[in-house]
Structure formats: C-alpha cells, structure tokens
Amino acid sequence: MKRLSRLLAVLVLIVGCLGWTGHQSALAANLNVMQYGVTSPILATETPRRNRVDDKMAKVRNKLDLNNSDLRDFRQYKGMFPKLGSLIILNAPYDSVEDVLKISGLTEQQKEILQQNLENFTVTPPESVFIEGDQRLNVGAYD
C-alpha cells in the first residue's frame, strides 16, 4: 500500500510539473469591438463605472451645492467659514439658491456676503451619500 501511494504521489508530481516545462500559450478571443461601435480594445460588456457621487458632481460642476456640500467647502468664499457655512448647512435643504437669504437671524453683513456669492451656489436635491451622519459639519478640519 505504501508503495502504491508513493507511486501515485510521484505520478501527480510529474504531471503537475509538465505544465511548467512545455510551451503553453493562452489564446484570448479577438473580439471585434468595432461592430459594437466601441473604438477602444475593451470588452463589449464593460461599461464605465459611475456612482451617485460622480453623477451629482457632474451636475454641480464648479458651484457649491448648498444642499450637499460640507463645511470645509465654504472655505473658498471669504467670510463664510465657519459661522455662515454652519448656518447654511443647519438650515438646509433649500428649494432655490435665493432661499439662503431667508435664514432667520442673519446679520446684514452675512446677507451681503451671501448676495455677493449667489452665482457661485447651486441647489440640487439632497443626496444621502453627502449628508448622512455628522459628516457635513464635522469634516475633520481642525486648523
């Protein structure tokens, strides 16, 4: 019995090693992607990966989305970080950009700052990936 198991083990080892010694070439199917209207050598079933964040950012472009931006995003506008940005976030969501001027308790100076920056803002429906939890106000910006 020992002899048979040794012979079997040696045979398995030899057959396994044969794969390393011989010339093996893996042939991939040459998929003609031009017939599908695709000009790059990708699989016909592969589609570009998109997610909700990418879709939302494509809509917003270079504007600050008042319903989905976090506090750190308000740094780029003078006089808005952190106090005015926090007020905007706490009073969201907004139906239009002009709704930020209706926040109760704004000073005249804060209204002027908002008025000067209205063209830099946009409003899109709130998206859970941006506003879930405590992330909008506490973004880890402690400098």
Side-chain angles (χ1 to χ4, degrees), residues 37-100:
V38 181
T39 58
S40 63
I42 61 171
L43 294 176
T45 59
E46 185 178 325
T47 59
R49 293 184 180 196
R50 300 286 301 177
N51 60 34
R52 294 183 308 186
V53 174
D54 293 334
D55 293 338
K56 178 68 75 171
M57 296 309 290
K59 289 179 188 174
V60 173
R61 303 275 179 199
N62 295 327
K63 295 193 174 201
L64 183 76
D65 186 353
L66 297 177
N67 287 336
N68 294 294
S69 297
D70 61 43
L71 183 59
R72 185 178 26 212
D73 296 333
F74 288 93
R75 286 181 167 183
Q76 60 186 313
Y77 302 108
K78 187 177 179 182
M80 297 194 71
F81 181 82
K83 179 79 171 154
L84 191 52
S86 297
L87 284 173
I88 292 170
I89 289 172
L90 290 172
N91 287 283
Y94 303 99
D95 293 323
S96 69
V97 173
E98 290 77 20
D99 286 350
V100 295

Side-chain angles (χ1 to χ4, degrees), residues 28-41:
N30 186 7
L31 178 62
N32 185 2
V33 294
M34 291 301 291
Q35 69 185 357
Y36 299 107
V38 181
T39 58
S40 63

Side-chain angles (χ1 to χ4, degrees), residues 82-119:
K83 179 79 171 154
L84 191 52
S86 297
L87 284 173
I88 292 170
I89 289 172
L90 290 172
N91 287 283
Y94 303 99
D95 293 323
S96 69
V97 173
E98 290 77 20
D99 286 350
V100 295
L101 298 172
K102 299 174 187 172
I103 296 174
S104 64
L106 287 178
T107 65
E108 287 302 317
Q109 183 181 10
Q110 289 173 327
K111 286 182 183 179
E112 284 179 32
I113 293 170
L114 287 173
Q115 192 71 40
Q116 293 169 358
N117 289 294
L118 284 181
E119 71 274 356

